[in-house]
Amino acid sequence: MAIILASTSPIRCRLLENAGVKFVAEKPLVNEDELKQRAPGLAREALAQHLASAKCLSVSISHPEDLVIGADQVLSFSGKTFDKPASLEDARSQLTELKGKTHTLISAVCCAKGEAVLWQHSDRAELTMRYFSNRFLEDYLAAVGADACTSVGAYKLEGPGLQLFEHIEGDYFTILGLPLLPLLEFLRSTGEIGS
């Protein structure tokens, strides 16, 4: 039996690798926009769990004997949910809207085997962006380039995006998109990794 991460996200892969978990990564075959449209009115936490489960189960179908990990993240601000920016202009717009304010980031993780969800967990963090200058924003976007479009909120907290913030409350791994400590505890409890 193998552990499969239903994601090809470089940061999620790196988090598991750094924790010493042996796994293979596989891209889930899900359409996030379609899933969100089919689940209107879900609370933000329920939406994050719904997306993580869908990713997990989409990979579990073709690997019924393996343990599959799925994860997703939802950014909530001022009554709306942010998606990954579609372009650098969209990233600029998101960051401009978030600057000087606090938003909520919800990360969910799910484990499935044999097309059945065995465990799921979600966590939230509150992040306050500082009031940065337009020049700083342009320099930031020039530095990260297209990477700004790979995460909700257009920031990479593990890199230069850290400079966008003045205050953060919450788990670092949750912010990066994988509540790692609860996941490792689950993997230990099932004997998938050493205890």
Side-chain angles (χ1 to χ4, degrees):
M1 183 176 67
I3 296 175
I4 301 173
L5 175 64
S7 172
T8 52
S9 158
I11 188 63
R12 287 188 181 117
C13 289
R14 194 170 338 130
L15 290 174
L16 281 178
E17 286 167 1
N18 289 348
V21 176
K22 304 284 189 245
F23 70 98
V24 293
E26 185 173 318
K27 187 174 180 64
L29 300 175
V30 296
N31 183 324
E32 287 189 43
D33 292 333
E34 187 177 301
L35 285 172
K36 289 175 186 176
Q37 289 172 359
R38 281 198 263 154
L42 276 184
R44 304 302 190 257
E45 185 170 327
L47 178 60
Q49 289 177 340
H50 176 66
L51 294 169
S53 295
K55 290 178 178 181
C56 198
L57 292 171
S58 78
V59 171
S60 184
I61 287 170
S62 54
H63 302 280
E65 299 301 315
D66 299 320
L67 182 76
V68 180
I69 301 167
D72 209 292
Q73 200 169 44
V74 171
L75 188 156
S76 177
F77 172 70
S78 195
K80 67 180 182 179
T81 301
F82 280 45
D83 291 320
K84 291 177 185 173
S87 65
L88 281 179
E89 185 53 44
D90 195 20
R92 182 180 290 106
S93 176
Q94 284 191 16
L95 290 167
T96 299
E97 189 171 354
L98 294 171
K99 80 175 176 179
K101 300 179 181 82
T102 300
H103 64 270
T104 302
L105 197 56
I106 302 162
S107 288
V109 61
C110 170
C111 291
K113 184 178 179 185
E115 299 181 51
V117 172
L118 303 177
W119 175 84
Q120 57 186 358
H121 176 83
S122 62
D123 193 25
R124 61 179 50 222
E126 303 290 325
L127 297 90
T128 303
M129 283 196 179
R130 66 185 183 86
Y131 195 85
F132 44 81
S133 68
N134 290 337
R135 175 60 187 266
F136 178 85
L137 176 57
E138 294 309 317
D139 289 346
Y140 168 73
L141 289 173
V144 299
D147 271 355
C149 301
T150 62
S151 62
V152 293
Y155 53 82
K156 296 294 214 175
L157 196 76
E158 69 276 18
L162 182 60
Q163 292 191 48
L164 295 165
F165 294 92
E166 70 178 37
H167 185 74
I168 295 171
E169 288 183 27
D171 182 74
Y172 180 69
F173 302 116
T174 292
I175 296 165
L176 296 186
L178 186 67
L180 190 56
L181 296 177
L183 173 60
L184 293 174
E185 180 59 32
F186 171 75
L187 294 176
R188 282 191 293 270
S189 74
T190 59
E192 301 297 331
I193 62 174
S195 59

